[in-house]
Amino acid sequence: MKKLGGFKKMVWISLGVLLIVSCEQPDGVTEFINTNDQAGFMSTTGNSDKIIDEAELETISPLLHMSFDGDLSEEQASTKFNEAVVVYLTNNKSDNKGSGTELLYRIWNYTGTKKDNDTDGKVKAHVGFNTNKGEYYDINVILDNEGDDREGGWDYYLIKTNLPKEDVAWVELRNAFIQLQGQDGWYLKRYYLIILDSDQVQFAVGASDIVSEAEVWLDNTCDLCWDTFSTGIIGEGRLNF
């Protein structure tokens, strides 16, 4: 009888545990769906879910884009991209040698290693410059890559823009934004920009850069929405023509 009583006791304890688990299951299931179905809403910028009318925006596409595996250091990736830029500029010489209006600059970013950090969403940059003729903005620089992109590692871009006034004597990087569209979240770890005198067609001296250790999630709650990260006004240095 003692054995039977002990057995009954175990049965009731087991049923009680099952009842508690069954009562808690909906919350657990909801949490599982949120963390595994598109990784949930991940943005940490405070600037997500904006609808942007792009119809009137002029787009700027990179002259050159290269991706490098995350196993490479920044120095290794930068060296490889620099070699490619030299070859590109040698093979694509410009005739615009006498005016301080054509400007080449580089953008690169690093996708972090957190879970669900990669994205195939559209990405674009906005870049602000100071010049002796006033402020100037590239507002729609397309950084979207074909196929499966930003699976971790480095993305480097060479961009050409034309400053709006003739004979600009100097230019500085002022600030920059980077934007992601859609619900495929992205962990942006680093976001850098640089203007180098060696990239310019016309004679130039100096450099200017933006170095942002972003460490930020970009994400949205709708497919057409954009999330934005801003570096703030942190540009340093000056390129003189």
Side-chain angles (χ1 to χ4, degrees):
M1 293 296 293
K2 288 183 179 179
K3 289 183 179 179
L4 181 60
F7 175 76
K8 286 183 178 180
K9 185 176 181 181
M10 290 300 297
V11 169
W12 281 110
I13 291 173
S14 298
L15 289 174
V17 170
L18 288 173
L19 181 61
I20 292 170
V21 171
S22 65
C23 290
E24 292 181 346
Q25 186 175 2
D27 289 339
V29 170
T30 301
E31 182 179 357
F32 176 81
I33 292 173
N34 284 342
T35 57
N36 289 276
D37 183 9
Q38 296 181 349
F41 178 65
M42 305 294 290
S43 175
T44 56
T45 66
N47 296 309
S48 64
D49 297 341
K50 304 297 190 298
I51 301 295
I52 300 173
D53 184 3
E54 300 180 88
E56 301 299 322
L57 296 180
E58 181 180 355
T59 61
I60 298 174
S61 297
L63 298 175
L64 182 65
H65 165 243
M66 296 181 71
S67 296
F68 302 101
D69 191 272
D71 291 339
L72 291 182
S73 68
E74 181 186 347
E75 182 180 1
Q76 291 171 321
S78 295
T79 297
K80 288 181 177 292
F81 187 67
N82 187 65
E83 292 170 351
V85 168
V86 171
V87 172
Y88 177 87
L89 294 179
T90 300
N91 294 333
N92 297 272
K93 293 183 179 180
S94 172
D95 295 328
N96 187 20
K97 297 181 182 298
S99 171
T101 58
E102 182 177 295
L103 178 71
L104 274 72
Y105 62 97
R106 306 182 189 192
I107 295 176
W108 67 101
N109 57 70
Y110 182 74
T111 298
T113 56
K114 294 182 181 292
K115 183 178 182 294
D116 298 314
N117 65 316
D118 57 335
T119 185
D120 294 335
K122 292 182 179 179
V123 175
K124 62 182 180 180
H126 298 231
V127 185
F129 305 90
N130 289 324
T131 79
N132 62 302
K133 301 288 186 176
E135 295 178 2
Y136 170 68
Y137 292 87
D138 276 351
I139 61 173
N140 206 25
V141 182
I142 305 302
L143 304 183
D144 192 32
N145 309 331
E146 294 184 2
D148 293 335
D149 54 3
R150 294 183 175 83
E151 303 294 332
W154 302 92
D155 281 283
Y156 279 73
Y157 307 86
L158 178 66
I159 313 294
K160 182 178 79 170
T161 190
N162 290 295
L163 302 174
K165 296 184 179 181
E166 293 293 329
D167 298 325
V168 170
W170 56 262
V171 61
E172 303 168 341
L173 281 165
R174 184 176 187 272
N175 61 338
F177 303 84
I178 193 164
Q179 297 182 304
L180 172 73
Q181 186 180 49
Q183 301 182 68
D184 190 2
W186 177 33
Y187 184 65
L188 175 65
K189 188 173 179 66
R190 301 175 189 170
Y191 182 38
Y192 301 156
L193 301 90
I194 192 166
I195 304 172
L196 295 172
D197 52 13
S198 59
D199 289 345
Q200 310 312 313
V201 175
Q202 62 274 42
F203 177 77
V205 177
S208 181
D209 63 17
I210 288 175
V211 177
S212 177
E213 305 295 334
E215 301 284 356
V216 66
W217 277 100
L218 289 93
D219 200 3
N220 298 280
T221 59
C222 75
D223 289 338
L224 297 179
C225 296
W226 290 88
D227 193 2
T228 302
F229 168 72
S230 171
T231 65
I233 302 174
I234 61 171
E236 294 186 350
R238 174 179 292 184
L239 181 80
N240 294 283
F241 292 111

